[in-house]
Amino acid sequence: MTHQQPSIRPQISPVTVIGLGPMGLALAGTLLKNGHPTTVWNRTPDKARDLVARGARLGASVADAVAASPLTLVCLKDYTALYEVLDPAGGASAGRALVNLNSGTPKEAHAAASWAAERGAAYLDGAIMVPPPLVGDPRSVFLYSGPREVFDAHRDTLANLGDPRYLGSDHGLAVLHNAALLGLMYATMNGFLHATALVGSAGVPAAEFAELAVNRFLPTVVDATLVEQAPDLDAGHYPGDLGTMEMNLNALEHIALTCEEQGVHSGQPRLMREIAAQAVRDGHGGSNYLAVFEVFKKAAARDAR
Ligand code: NAP
């Protein structure tokens, strides 16, 4: 005789989402779809209409919304909006967890952590590395920093949104990584767009160049070797036996001159040329190109002011 095990349904934790811009709507919609009792609040309550039709509860006030769940995700425009929205909630967040997902700076994240501590709330700062349509995809990276035990307590709920990456107890780490990764994204996009404009000056269609640049060339220069070489960055080890900074400076000069000949914006290559020239002035003329890392680590005089 077989014994039927009583089915034990995992407890699905209630969640509150504050802020219903495109991203907050995606967060709340995903939680709702996955069966989490979801309470929402937004300055413009009309934006909650579809979610409410699908089963979300609209908080009567911010305090009511925060009190409804052990975990509140905040997804507003910036940290100023966080204070504007949540200050009126008074002590409602005491003993509860707030996970703030707006973008900003590490200094702002630290200030928000102190603000939350004054209210007795557990606080994680976070950053979302995908656009709204990719919320809910297990490959979508979500970054979190703050107390490990707060992350661990809510990890399963956060995993509804994507791949939750815990970066460490320093609250500033999530937005720091966000700025670094977005900087990488913009630099890569601008590199492609500038290169496309350069060949476009001779009538080459973007669609034709994209195949050569993205499918063939890029994987040979930006690939796993960067990961393999990362320990050299940590060690400050830049052997120039396969190519030197002087050689790269020459190449960058040719790019800038070609832009000028072709009537294309030369600001990007000129800046890269200047950074390589600084590396040479700093004594890295015989090092490989990765030695520009040493220039990047120091604020330029005008940045430091
Ligand atoms: P958003 O325009 O950055 O933020 C909209 C939300 O902020 C709305 O809920 C809006 O309320 C609220 N808000 C703005 N100022 C406010 C104020 N002074 N008082 C009260 N509420 C205020 O749109 P979003 O795309 O949803 O982005 C939210 C956060 O997610 C941002 O920090 C953004 O950087 C980050 N993020 C967005 C994306 C993306 O692709 N969208 C990707 C990654 C990260 P109302 O509806 O009442 O105006």
Side-chain angles (χ1 to χ4, degrees):
M1 198 174 100
T2 54
H3 291 282
Q4 193 89 32
Q5 290 288 335
S7 70
I8 301 167
R9 297 186 57 159
Q11 264 216 317
I12 301 194
S13 179
V15 187
T16 291
V17 178
I18 305 282
L20 299 176
M23 188 51 87
L25 284 171
L27 300 174
T30 302
L31 291 162
L32 204 53
K33 189 173 74 167
N34 291 355
H36 285 266
T38 305
T39 301
V40 296
W41 187 91
N42 194 50
R43 176 180 62 177
T44 310
D46 250 16
K47 291 190 186 168
R49 202 182 302 149
D50 280 359
L51 290 166
V52 170
R54 289 162 54 198
R57 185 175 84 80
L58 179 62
S61 63
V62 185
D64 173 54
V66 171
S69 313
L71 172 67
T72 290
L73 306 180
V74 186
C75 193
L76 297 162
K77 181 177 159 225
D78 52 25
Y79 287 91
T80 306
L82 165 79
Y83 302 132
E84 272 183 43
V85 167
L86 279 161
D87 268 337
S93 56
R96 296 170 193 280
L98 296 179
V99 176
N100 182 33
L101 294 164
N102 68 241
S103 45
T105 71
K107 208 171 174 177
E108 288 179 307
H110 290 140
S114 303
W115 168 90
E118 283 162 20
R119 282 152 187 79
Y123 182 80
L124 290 178
D125 210 89
I128 304 170
M129 303 316 301
V130 291
L134 292 183
V135 171
D137 185 319
R139 291 164 302 182
S140 297
V141 172
F142 279 64
L143 306 174
Y144 299 99
S145 53
R148 171 106 226 180
E149 63 276 14
V150 181
F151 175 77
D152 286 344
H154 298 287
R155 194 192 178 288
D156 289 350
T157 303
L158 298 174
N160 282 268
L161 308 173
D163 175 13
R165 296 288 182 109
Y166 177 72
L167 298 170
S169 59
D170 175 344
H171 282 98
L173 282 171
V175 286
L176 181 65
H177 280 69
N178 182 53
L181 291 170
L182 290 185
L184 175 63
M185 179 190 79
Y186 286 119
T188 308
M189 292 288 286
N190 275 16
F192 169 71
L193 294 171
H194 179 266
T196 306
L198 189 53
V199 294
S201 68
V204 178
E208 181 185 315
F209 181 64
E211 199 284 321
L212 169 68
V214 179
N215 291 350
R216 307 296 298 177
F217 178 71
L218 212 50
T220 66
V221 290
V222 182
D223 64 3
T225 57
L226 275 185
V227 178
E228 282 162 25
Q229 287 172 316
D232 281 350
L233 299 180
D234 290 327
H237 179 61
Y238 313 109
D241 42 336
L242 297 180
T244 63
M245 189 67 71
E246 294 277 11
M247 181 278 288
N248 282 283
L249 187 57
N250 204 24
L252 287 162
E253 182 61 26
H254 289 146
I255 300 169
L257 287 173
T258 303
C259 291
E260 282 158 20
E261 278 183 21
Q262 297 295 114
V264 167
H265 201 290
S266 63
Q268 278 184 181
R270 286 257 161 248
L271 177 59
M272 290 190 284
R273 202 208 78 91
E274 174 46 31
I275 290 164
Q278 183 64 53
V280 172
R281 288 196 292 276
D282 291 349
H284 293 292
S287 304
N288 71 37
Y289 187 73
L290 295 186
V292 297
F293 185 53
E294 296 299 325
V295 178
F296 284 135
K297 284 196 285 185
K298 298 176 207 142
R302 66 174 179 283
D303 286 353
R305 256 181 259 139

